[in-house]
Amino acid sequence: MKIVIAPQGFKAGISGLEAAQAIARGVAAAVPRAETVLAPVADGGDGTLHALVDATGGQVFTSTVTGPLGQPLEARWGVMGDGGTAVIEMALASGLALVPQRRRNPRITTTAGTGEIMKEALERGYTRIIVGLGGSATNDGGAGFATALGARFLDSGGRFLPPGGSALIRLDRIEHSGLHPRLANATVIAATDVTNPLCGPDGASAIFGPQKGANPDMVRELDAALANYARVVSRDMGRDVLDQPGAGAAGGLGAGLMAFAGATLQSGIDMVCEVLNFDEMLRDADLVITGEGRADRSTIFNKAPAGVARHAQAHGVPTLLLAGSLGQGYEELYDHSLAAVICIADRPMSFEQSLSRSAELLENAARNATRLFLAGRGAA
């Protein structure tokens, strides 16, 4: 029996590799002779750096950059095993987890640190750069990112705008002649699991702003600022980013990457599956087990478990999803290639208790799920 184990990391809990190892222990307890293939995945958000770098035998670096609130911080990035592809996980430089709850304010947070890492990668000679979009603390449309690479954002009086999304309402023009010269010869790929446009009811501010600390008035303010930003970008950069799918990813960094780095947007989970050679792993597999911290309706939008299940279904392999918790609309996952969705909690517990027991709960759930799968297959 061959089982492919392909979870993503459980946010604030355990990494994708740790989750895969826990699931493998549970499978071994149920079927000692089972062949298990571990393939930790990510969808452009948390874990993308290690999913791409570790799988290819690459290298991880650490750089001192500007954090989302302007503070210096140490951020990791890496290079894949090909020696020519840099990987930047924007959440590690500009992420929500870097900002204490009480200080979350998307009006002022910046993507400058992500741009500083890209500048370093360019200056080290890397010509192919993957940027994982997800988990951002920002809503600045990538203006901070572009500033770090040499762009200048000015108001009607010729003054430089301060960092943050709200200042973009005063944006009058963009000076881009100082953009890093190596951008012209770089291939930049943005890996994301969302298709949201920059503005409007499904845009960056409305959908993702509240989790970053925006109240309804701030959401309206930020949406108007990004709309003005898109207008100036279209005029000065010659790139229409307002309605592009994925432009709203990471607080509009998707738009900034397209406008200032000529980036193309790709499905994060499909990119990771390609790097892992995931479809080859599925040959002769009997079962796939994936996992994530919380399964709900948003999972169907090409997040890691849905992408894994889609690839597995193409090979006729059923997929089980082990989730830390179940949210509204998780039942819709059954219409998107998943054979079963299982909550790993074994009793009522707090979120903190669940985090501390993530590996144990995954191992137990994997053991029980594998036994149920075998029972069902025998009955069939």
Side-chain angles (χ1 to χ4, degrees), residues 192-210:
T192 180
D193 67 342
V194 305
T195 57
N196 301 72
L198 186 62
C199 298
D202 294 321
S205 305
I207 298 300
F208 306 113

Side-chain angles (χ1 to χ4, degrees), residues 5-309:
I5 301 173
Q8 65 178 7
F10 282 51
K11 191 174 294 185
I14 57 178
S15 70
L17 177 59
E18 291 168 332
Q21 291 168 335
I23 293 169
R25 291 193 295 270
V27 169
V31 190
R33 295 185 179 180
E35 175 191 356
T36 54
V37 179
L38 275 57
V41 296
D43 52 26
D46 293 334
T48 298
L49 172 66
H50 284 288
L52 293 175
V53 173
D54 292 351
T56 60
Q59 184 177 2
V60 173
F61 305 109
T62 300
S63 298
T64 302
V65 300
T66 302
L69 289 174
Q71 78 280 27
L73 60 82
E74 299 293 303
R76 288 170 289 124
W77 60 286
V79 176
M80 290 170 57
D82 62 5
T85 302
V87 180
I88 301 170
E89 188 176 313
M90 74 86 59
L92 297 176
S94 312
L96 192 60
L98 303 172
V99 183
Q101 182 82 33
R102 60 183 175 79
R103 298 189 64 193
R104 291 179 179 177
N105 184 353
R107 300 176 72 247
I108 61 173
T109 46
T110 176
T111 51
T114 300
E116 289 165 359
I117 294 177
M118 182 175 286
K119 180 181 179 182
E120 182 172 346
L122 290 168
E123 292 179 350
R124 289 193 183 202
Y126 299 111
T127 57
R128 186 170 185 263
I129 302 174
I130 295 172
V131 184
L133 303 182
S136 75
T138 57
N139 207 96
D140 71 351
F145 157 86
T147 298
L149 287 162
R152 295 291 178 261
F153 296 82
L154 309 173
D155 66 15
S156 58
R159 296 176 291 267
F160 294 135
L161 294 182
S166 66
L168 296 174
I169 194 67
R170 306 197 306 274
L171 179 63
D172 183 68
R173 72 180 190 276
I174 301 169
E175 292 181 353
H176 55 88
S177 60
L179 276 171
H180 202 292
R182 293 192 178 183
L183 275 172
N185 297 315
T187 298
V188 179
I189 301 166
T192 180
D193 67 342
V194 305
T195 57
N196 301 72
L198 186 62
C199 298
D202 294 321
S205 305
I207 298 300
F208 306 113
Q211 71 190 41
K212 303 172 187 181
N215 61 34
D217 288 341
M218 290 167 65
V219 166
R220 287 188 287 271
E221 173 190 342
L222 290 165
D223 191 61
L226 286 180
N228 181 57
Y229 171 74
R231 179 186 63 79
V232 179
V233 164
S234 178
R235 184 196 67 204
D236 292 356
M237 302 298 300
R239 295 183 184 271
D240 183 6
V241 297
L242 183 62
D243 297 315
Q244 290 294 322
L253 179 57
L257 282 163
M258 288 188 282
F260 297 96
T264 57
L265 270 61
Q266 293 186 15
S267 160
I269 183 59
D270 287 339
M271 177 187 299
V272 170
C273 284
E274 180 180 351
V275 170
L276 295 175
N277 203 12
F278 187 66
D279 288 279
E280 186 62 31
M281 295 180 184
L282 293 169
R283 293 187 183 276
D284 303 319
D286 298 285
L287 177 67
V288 172
I289 302 178
T290 186
E292 71 171 337
R294 180 177 177 83
D296 55 31
R297 185 175 181 274
S298 70
T299 303
I300 69 177
F301 296 107
N302 216 28
K303 289 192 174 181
V308 164

Side-chain angles (χ1 to χ4, degrees), residues 281-354:
M281 295 180 184
L282 293 169
R283 293 187 183 276
D284 303 319
D286 298 285
L287 177 67
V288 172
I289 302 178
T290 186
E292 71 171 337
R294 180 177 177 83
D296 55 31
R297 185 175 181 274
S298 70
T299 303
I300 69 177
F301 296 107
N302 216 28
K303 289 192 174 181
V308 164
R310 177 166 45 79
H311 280 261
Q313 186 183 53
H315 292 264
V317 184
T319 300
L320 307 181
L321 168 57
L322 305 181
S325 64
L326 303 179
Q328 185 173 2
Y330 81 89
E331 299 90 346
E332 293 186 41
L333 293 170
Y334 294 125
D335 298 324
H336 291 80
S337 308
L338 281 153
V341 181
I342 301 165
C343 181
I344 65 174
D346 57 3
R347 69 197 70 174
M349 66 183 70
S350 68
F351 178 66
E352 290 73 21
Q353 289 173 320
S354 177

